[in-house]
Amino acid sequence: MLNESDIKDSLVLIVDDNPKNIQVLGKILTIHGFRPAIASSGKQAVKITQKRKPDLILMDIMMPEMDGFETTKQIKNNPDLIDIPVIFLTAKVELQSKLKGFELGAVDYIIKPFESIEVMKRVETHLKLKKAVDIITKYNNELEVLLEERTRDLIATERHAAFSLMIQGLIHNFKNVLTGIYSYGDYLQYKMADLEEKISNNDLDMEGVSEKITEMIPYCDKVVERSHDMNDMVSSLMIKSRQDKSTEIQLVDLNDLLKRELDFYNANMQYKHNVTKEIYLSNDALYAQIVPGEMTQVFQNLISNALDAFGDTKKGMLEFTSGRENGNVWISIKDNGPGIPQEIQTKIFEPFFTTKKRADNQDEGPSGTGLGLYMCKQTVESYDGELKLESQVGQGTRFKIILPEGNKGNGLDNIIC
């Protein structure tokens, strides 16, 4: 609540061609603690306001050369002075004059001859209003500055979070590729140790040695292929870091891409020996325009999650199906694991949400970052596709990848975008 002390020492400009009026008003203002400034004409008033800004103006309407209306108009043409309250002084006020004054920015009228009490009440009222507006404007400006600073901080925080999310997603995808390399490497080590033992015990002749080595060659090829996948991921990351849009999109048969991935998983002992596979892929090629490595990562994540869900069960089953519908092609990966509770299904695609132990946990068993399914969904949707989840507790889970069908006959076998 503003009081008299908040407006004391305010500068009030008196504009009047009558010296007696100036003398009376100046005395009233001085007695009540205000600083009066004096202009005996409209032109003089305009010059004074250009040098120093008054807090309020008492403006006589009837003046020679330039009346109060014109003087007010010229003063208000200055954007820095437009908020100064103007009280008109006049012997009589007709309705048209009042309307004209208010249109020019007047806040009030005082009728001559004026009483000192009335003058002070009107001056104090409008100075308090002006002071209140100034305070609100100041607070608004400070708030805008504060909001701008908070917005910058929020943007910086979001960028940091997005960068962290991207890094963890990359680590997650690199880990999947490395897991494949390690699996093939472990298998080759096992086969080499077995071969060395048989050779040292003279259990194999040269023909037998040759057969064993021939068995290992495909797995050596898989290590090389997985290494190429890793190299492609690094190259793609370098391209994106330069904000280069030359990532290669190809017209790919999803059936062939999935078959290749299932072939890779044969080196995984759990997948190979502890899981029943049922594969019902469409006889027709299912073309989609994608970056093959990105969709491979989606397959890897979904299959790995299914294997982790089986736990120690000896009756794991994976069903792979594919088809075409409504101008789309689709791949389905279904398991007979424990299923996902309904309350968790709404969170399953959120970043950092996981039902596994955290990746930095040293306990045995499957671990996760909570980014696998999030990255899968983001990848599929980046091709205007959809990743659907169907699951019931005790009956397993099904993920269905749906993508717009590509046209093999349109000449877009290899698209650079």
Side-chain angles (χ1 to χ4, degrees):
M1 183 69 179
L2 294 174
N3 51 48
E4 280 73 12
S5 62
D6 295 313
I7 58 174
K8 291 302 181 186
D9 205 37
S10 295
L11 180 63
V12 179
L13 176 62
I14 305 169
V15 185
D16 201 316
D17 64 327
N18 188 327
K20 185 176 180 180
N21 288 341
I22 291 176
Q23 184 179 11
V24 172
L25 290 171
K27 185 177 180 180
I28 294 172
L29 294 171
T30 303
I31 290 174
H32 288 84
F34 299 114
R35 292 181 296 123
I38 299 169
S40 58
S41 68
K43 289 183 178 180
Q44 189 179 9
V46 173
K47 290 180 179 179
I48 291 174
T49 57
Q50 289 174 347
K51 294 179 180 179
R52 53 178 177 164
K53 181 179 180 179
D55 296 298
L56 182 142
I57 299 175
L58 294 174
M59 179 75 71
D60 185 24
I61 293 179
M62 301 303 294
M63 293 186 294
E65 296 184 21
M66 184 186 294
D67 64 16
F69 293 137
E70 181 61 26
T71 303
T72 300
K73 182 179 179 180
Q74 290 196 21
I75 291 174
K76 295 281 186 176
N77 281 338
N78 186 337
D80 295 331
L81 306 177
I82 197 170
D83 60 339
I84 297 177
V86 176
I87 299 176
F88 280 127
L89 308 174
T90 184
K92 60 178 182 178
V93 183
E94 297 176 352
L95 178 60
Q96 293 300 322
S97 295
K98 278 188 176 182
L99 293 177
K100 184 176 181 180
F102 288 132
E103 287 174 358
L104 290 171
V107 295
D108 208 345
Y109 281 85
I110 296 178
I111 307 299
K112 298 177 183 180
F114 36 72
E115 298 288 339
S116 60
I117 294 178
E118 180 188 6
V119 171
M120 288 316 306
K121 285 299 181 183
R122 292 183 186 276
V123 168
E124 287 177 354
T125 296
H126 290 292
L127 282 173
K128 287 180 181 179
L129 288 173
K130 174 63 166 56
K131 187 73 173 180
V133 170
D134 289 344
I135 292 173
I136 293 172
T137 301
K138 178 184 176 183
Y139 286 161
N140 282 341
N141 291 337
E142 291 175 350
L143 180 60
E144 286 180 5
V145 172
L146 180 61
L147 288 174
E148 185 177 348
E149 292 175 351
R150 293 287 177 87
T151 300
R152 284 199 300 267
D153 292 342
L154 180 60
I155 291 173
T157 300
E158 289 179 345
R159 284 178 177 171
H160 178 76
F163 181 75
S164 175
L165 186 65
M166 180 189 74
I167 293 300
Q168 294 194 51
L170 289 171
I171 292 172
H172 185 278
N173 288 338
F174 278 135
K175 183 180 178 182
N176 280 340
V177 177
L178 285 173
T179 298
I181 294 174
Y182 290 152
S183 296
Y184 302 134
D186 289 343
Y187 181 77
L188 288 171
Q189 282 186 327
Y190 165 76
K191 299 297 286 186
M192 283 297 298
D194 181 61
L195 178 59
E196 289 174 356
E197 181 180 356
K198 284 182 167 55
I199 291 175
S200 64
N201 293 334
N202 296 318
D203 291 340
L204 289 175
D205 54 19
M206 289 304 298
E207 184 178 350
V209 171
S210 178
E211 290 178 358
K212 291 292 183 182
I213 292 176
T214 301
E215 290 178 5
M216 289 187 283
I217 289 176
Y219 292 93
C220 293
D221 292 340
K222 296 181 190 303
V223 170
V224 173
E225 288 186 48
R226 273 293 190 249
S227 299
H228 286 170
D229 287 343
M230 180 72 78
N231 184 67
D232 290 343
M233 290 174 65
V234 172
S235 297
S236 176
L237 177 60
M238 292 176 67
I239 290 172
K240 290 177 181 178
S241 70
R242 296 194 304 268
Q243 296 184 338
D244 188 346
K245 299 301 182 182
S246 61
T247 303
E248 187 175 292
I249 291 182
Q250 300 176 18
L251 197 61
V252 178
D253 181 0
L254 293 183
N255 283 338
D256 286 345
L257 199 65
L258 180 60
K259 288 175 184 176
R260 176 172 174 262
E261 196 56 33
L262 296 182
D263 186 38
F264 275 125
Y265 265 94
N266 277 322
N268 183 303
M269 295 299 102
Q270 180 187 7
Y271 176 83
K272 186 173 183 178
H273 299 295
N274 298 334
V275 177
T276 300
K277 279 78 67 178
E278 297 183 4
I279 302 174
Y280 307 104
L281 302 184
S282 169
N283 293 327
D284 299 326
L286 303 177
Y287 290 107
Q289 294 179 17
I290 57 174
V291 177
E294 291 185 351
M295 196 54 57
T296 295
Q297 289 297 314
V298 174
F299 293 154
Q300 288 175 8
N301 277 310
L302 296 180
I303 296 172
S304 294
N305 281 348
L307 294 177
D308 291 342
F310 292 141
D312 297 327
T313 180
K314 302 298 182 182
K315 298 180 180 179
M317 186 276 292
L318 283 174
E319 179 184 278
F320 303 93
T321 55
S322 68
R324 177 188 291 106
E325 61 182 14
N326 301 324
N328 297 315
V329 292
W330 57 269
I331 293 282
S332 170
I333 300 175
K334 181 181 178 182
D335 66 63
N336 67 339
I340 302 171
Q342 188 67 37
E343 63 271 17
I344 292 179
Q345 291 184 30
T346 58
K347 304 176 183 179
I348 205 73
F349 294 112
E350 293 179 3
F352 305 114
F353 177 82
T354 179
T355 57
K356 305 175 186 177
K357 65 181 181 64
R358 304 303 301 183
D360 56 357
N361 192 311
Q362 300 299 316
D363 296 337
E364 293 185 1
S367 64
T369 62
L371 287 170
L373 288 176
Y374 171 76
M375 298 297 287
C376 287
K377 184 176 176 64
Q378 294 296 308
T379 297
V380 173
E381 290 181 351
S382 72
Y383 298 114
D384 296 325
E386 184 179 5
L387 181 58
K388 287 186 174 182
L389 165 66
E390 299 173 7
S391 185
Q392 282 189 299
V393 175
Q395 298 185 31
T397 299
R398 180 192 187 209
F399 286 96
K400 186 176 182 180
I401 304 163
I402 304 172
L403 295 169
E405 183 173 13
N407 186 358
K408 181 66 175 176
N410 63 4
L412 301 177
D413 295 345
N414 192 36
I415 303 174
I416 306 297
C417 67

